[in-house]
Amino acid sequence: MTVIAVLAIATTGNGTDPRRDNRAVISAEPPVADTAAPQASPHLSTASPIPTWEGPTVPPIDESLALGSVSAPVTIVEFGDFKCTECGKFARRIEPALRRRYIDTGIVRLFWRDFPAQGQGSERAAIAARAADRQNAFWPFHDALYAEQSSGFTDDRLRAVAARVGLDVARFEADRRDPELRRAVEQDFAFAAQLGLPGTPAFLINGELFFGAQPLSKFVEAIEKARHG
């Protein structure tokens, strides 16, 4: 079912903010139904009693870039950047606790979308993670990148990470050159920008914006509200 919600941009908590934008936006969360053509300003159509999506076209999402049960009552969509230090803080300190408490127990399903806002290194890492996904290793690669962010994302470093998580490095290198992966990353980035997301990390928790690597208690509060609301 496509979830449609009006989002009020809130910037409580920390996050990398490449473009402040306080517009109201609308999100559609995966799994994705057919969408209308992009409009200049996303909004809900009220002409029909059934809400319709009139915002930017929602890019396809790879199910292997998700964690958790398909029947989970709460969906979290993370828009992340592998160079973002606040994204790294979330990945190392908060996400493991959410996995144990909510994802592994069937309460939350977490989806990843790329928002490589910090330049070529961000994009290079995002494409590399998609290449790792072709060997069913997106999440181990994701975790390894965030474990050592300070090392940068040169080609040599990405190959070293691929070897460390057990990938066929030759296949990984070939997949990194596939234009399809770059297009997928660019589509996610454009979608995030069209939604007016204020930076990274940004999350849609059952369609409501939750911005920044806020304390675990704040994530728990938002998840419980979505779960019981």
Side-chain angles (χ1 to χ4, degrees):
M1 178 179 66
T2 301
V3 179
I4 302 175
V6 178
L7 305 179
I9 298 297
T11 56
T12 55
N14 297 321
T16 301
D17 186 352
R19 54 177 76 74
R20 288 288 179 189
D21 187 342
N22 293 323
R23 295 174 298 155
V25 298
I26 299 171
S27 77
E29 294 180 4
V32 175
D34 291 339
T35 56
Q39 305 293 314
S41 177
H43 64 281
L44 284 175
S45 171
T46 57
S48 165
I50 301 175
T52 57
W53 170 246
E54 295 184 355
T57 300
V58 183
I61 192 164
D62 189 334
E63 291 290 319
S64 59
L65 272 60
L67 290 173
S69 171
V70 295
S71 60
V74 178
T75 296
I76 299 178
V77 181
E78 176 186 359
F79 289 80
D81 181 332
F82 288 109
K83 284 186 68 177
C84 163
T85 56
E86 290 298 316
C87 298
K89 183 187 297 184
F90 170 76
R92 293 187 299 271
R93 302 180 187 177
I94 301 165
E95 185 181 305
L98 295 182
R99 289 191 193 190
R100 290 190 299 269
R101 182 167 180 174
Y102 290 112
I103 296 172
D104 293 345
T105 57
I107 297 168
V108 165
R109 194 169 196 214
L110 174 67
F111 289 86
W112 170 271
R113 283 198 183 274
D114 289 298
F115 194 3
Q118 297 192 38
Q120 290 185 348
S122 297
E123 185 179 73
R124 188 182 301 117
I127 292 169
R130 298 263 182 166
D133 177 49
R134 288 191 170 175
Q135 298 186 52
N136 301 313
F138 172 82
W139 290 102
F141 196 86
H142 162 284
D143 294 348
L145 289 184
Y146 278 131
E148 298 179 21
Q149 278 183 297
S150 61
S151 300
F153 298 128
T154 63
D155 290 335
D156 286 344
R157 166 86 200 293
L158 294 171
R159 282 190 288 269
V161 172
R164 189 182 315 148
V165 301
L167 299 185
D168 177 332
V169 177
R171 178 182 170 189
F172 169 77
E173 284 293 280
D175 286 335
R176 280 211 299 151
R177 294 190 291 271
D178 187 341
E180 182 181 333
L181 298 188
R182 179 179 296 277
R183 282 194 296 271
V185 170
E186 290 174 346
Q187 285 175 342
D188 269 6
F189 182 89
F191 181 52
Q194 288 171 327
L195 287 177
L197 296 183
T200 54
F203 306 87
L204 302 179
I205 301 180
N206 274 13
E208 286 201 35
L209 180 67
F210 185 96
F211 179 59
Q214 298 188 40
L216 176 61
S217 61
K218 294 296 184 181
F219 278 90
V220 169
E221 181 181 329
I223 290 168
E224 292 297 333
K225 178 183 175 183
R227 181 184 180 188
H228 299 294

